[in-house]
Amino acid sequence: MASTYTPLGVELMATGENAGTWGTKTNTNLQIIEQISGGYLEVSIAGGAGTQALTESDGSTGSAVATRVLKFTGSITGNRIITMPVGVENFYLIKNGTTDGAGTPTVQLKAASGSGATVTWAASDKGWKLVYFDGVTTNTGVYDVGFGSGDVTLTGTQTLTNKTLTSPAIGTNILDTNGAELLNITATGSATNEFTIANAATGSPPTLSATGSSDSNIDVAIAPKGTGETKIGTGAANATLTSSGAHDLILDTNSGTNSGNITITDGANGAISLTPNGLGRVTLGAGSIQNLTEKATVSATAATGTINYDVITQAVLYYTSAAAGNFTLNIRGDGSNALNAIMDAGQSISIVFAVTCTGTPYYNNAVTIDGSSITPEWQGGAAPTAGNANSVDVYTYTIFKTSDATFTAFASQTQFA
């Protein structure tokens, strides 16, 4: 009976065969086994797109198929396909050590025939792979069992995808894909406060929070460089700064010690609006207001009958057409709000009503507040009994709310001609 060979080239000698050469053949077999256990071989696969077979050598050493560690070398200019014989069951450490002569070719490892699984080094992948051939006789498959350029090493540069890092320790910065600094990190001795970042479901914002293990109240400090500014918004729409929930929004300086000024500025001829909700008020402290204008209504209307004066929408009302009769002035918030509803006891309001008179000097002969009659205290001690012909009479009213639905009014009439 003649000798046979394993798929890796080890000679299986039959009884009575190879008389006088057993020692040589046994030594060769042992060398093949040693080569399979840990041998290293560089194999040139240089060339253009095409297929190159790795073959075994029956009864001799040096074949790539019977070597544990392989390095593919040479300049390749097209996608290369490297095949192993069908039926080989083994595992290999293989490095794609080729150079790219043109473009970025791939290298694929597969069985010589059949449609079994394959392993491919992608374009520009020059790393190691641990591959396993399953040895299925008719359709050998090859599998990447997880060791390669995508694995994390101590000194390698790898891209991590879908990895969970539990309490990672990061050095002094995080770089972008170009290697430029994206985020610098400064360590503080005995630090106890930190940021917590939370994502959110649809309709809710992600949150950046100051948290810590010992402090109850922790500020969030945003520090621009030099005279740089802190900007909010997208640049494509109005920017809104709001509070979380039904709480006040407070701007202060030096943590509320009021050692600095708060300045609100706008672009050239830009407007700054203070718009309370509903009947809310704008409250100022003991400071002064400079360069203030009041809202005025100028109307080509003739004063007569009952005139509703809405203090919510104006501070000055000017009728430019000649008065057509004596008139009653009803002072109110507006058509939906009483003056009593928008003022607190101890508050006052001042309004002006300018009335045009021609030959017949009509005048303000009655005053009501929220429809209820009131007798003002007139400057000079007496209420006017007429207007001033061919003039503009300016009536000024200062109204104090002394208690609920109770008012004291001071009034004056001044002629302008």
Side-chain angles (χ1 to χ4, degrees):
M1 181 182 291
S3 297
T4 58
Y5 297 89
T6 68
L8 297 178
V10 175
E11 184 174 358
L12 303 177
M13 292 177 284
T15 302
E17 290 291 324
N18 303 318
T21 61
W22 270 69
T24 300
K25 291 181 177 291
T26 299
N27 289 339
T28 300
N29 281 341
L30 293 174
Q31 289 172 340
I32 293 173
I33 293 172
E34 182 178 36
Q35 180 179 286
I36 294 170
S37 299
Y40 171 82
L41 182 66
E42 294 187 2
V43 180
S44 175
I45 61 170
T51 301
Q52 178 174 330
L54 300 180
T55 60
E56 54 87 15
S57 299
D58 289 343
S60 63
T61 60
S63 76
V65 174
T67 303
R68 177 68 66 218
V69 183
L70 300 175
K71 179 181 179 181
F72 296 149
T73 62
S75 175
I76 58 176
T77 57
N79 296 337
R80 301 288 289 159
I81 299 175
I82 310 303
T83 66
M84 287 271 193
V86 174
V88 171
E89 182 181 10
N90 203 0
F91 68 91
Y92 301 88
L93 285 171
I94 304 177
K95 177 178 174 59
N96 180 14
T98 60
T99 57
D100 297 336
T104 52
T106 63
V107 175
Q108 185 184 67
L109 193 62
K110 60 178 292 186
S113 64
S115 58
T118 63
V119 169
T120 301
W121 281 262
S124 301
D125 182 358
K126 304 299 181 182
W128 288 91
K129 291 185 182 297
L130 176 60
V131 297
Y132 168 69
F133 284 79
D134 62 14
V136 174
T137 303
T138 58
N139 200 31
T140 300
V142 56
Y143 302 93
D144 185 342
V145 295
F147 175 83
S149 59
D151 296 302
V152 177
T153 62
L154 291 177
T155 59
T157 301
Q158 286 90 22
T159 298
L160 301 181
T161 302
N162 296 328
K163 303 296 187 294
T164 299
L165 304 179
T166 303
S167 300
I170 299 175
T172 58
N173 53 50
I174 297 176
L175 308 181
D176 64 15
T177 55
N178 297 319
E181 292 177 343
L182 179 66
L183 179 66
N184 288 333
I185 301 170
T186 301
T188 301
S190 302
T192 59
N193 298 328
E194 69 284 324
F195 280 118
T196 296
I197 301 175
N199 56 12
T202 301
S204 299
T207 304
L208 176 65
S209 305
T211 55
S213 59
S214 57
D215 294 331
S216 298
N217 301 298
I218 308 169
D219 295 336
V220 172
I222 302 176
K225 183 178 179 180
T227 58
E229 298 178 335
T230 300
K231 296 183 179 182
I232 63 172
T234 64
N238 295 336
T240 300
L241 189 65
T242 187
S243 62
S244 179
H247 303 286
D248 294 340
L249 182 65
I250 300 173
L251 300 178
D252 62 28
T253 61
N254 199 26
S255 298
T257 61
N258 302 319
S259 61
N261 295 326
I262 296 175
T263 303
I264 301 176
T265 61
D266 206 349
N269 300 317
I272 297 175
S273 299
L274 299 177
T275 310
N277 185 23
L279 299 178
R281 298 162 187 162
V282 176
T283 302
L284 302 176
S288 63
I289 300 176
Q290 300 180 7
N291 301 323
L292 178 68
T293 61
E294 295 178 313
K295 188 172 182 180
T297 299
V298 180
S299 176
T301 303
T304 189
T306 298
I307 299 170
N308 290 315
Y309 193 111
D310 296 340
V311 302
I312 290 177
T313 58
Q314 62 206 358
V316 177
L317 177 60
Y318 179 21
Y319 277 8
T320 59
S321 296
N326 295 332
F327 56 90
T328 297
L329 191 67
N330 179 47
I331 304 169
R332 64 185 187 178
D334 60 14
S336 302
N337 299 282
L339 184 67
N340 186 59
I342 68 171
M343 291 183 66
D344 293 333
Q347 292 183 329
S348 68
I349 189 170
S350 294
I351 61 173
V352 173
F353 185 24
V355 179
T356 301
C357 293
T358 52
T360 303
Y362 296 112
Y363 72 104
N364 177 202
N365 63 348
V367 176
T368 60
I369 294 179
D370 296 332
S372 298
S373 180
I374 185 174
T375 301
E377 305 290 336
W378 286 92
Q379 184 181 25
T385 57
N388 295 282
N390 302 316
S391 301
V392 174
D393 289 338
V394 175
Y395 295 87
T396 301
Y397 311 87
T398 299
I399 303 165
F400 292 84
K401 180 176 178 178
T402 55
S403 61
D404 182 42
T406 304
F407 300 91
T408 298
F410 298 91
S412 66
Q413 180 201 65
T414 305
Q415 179 187 13
F416 289 86

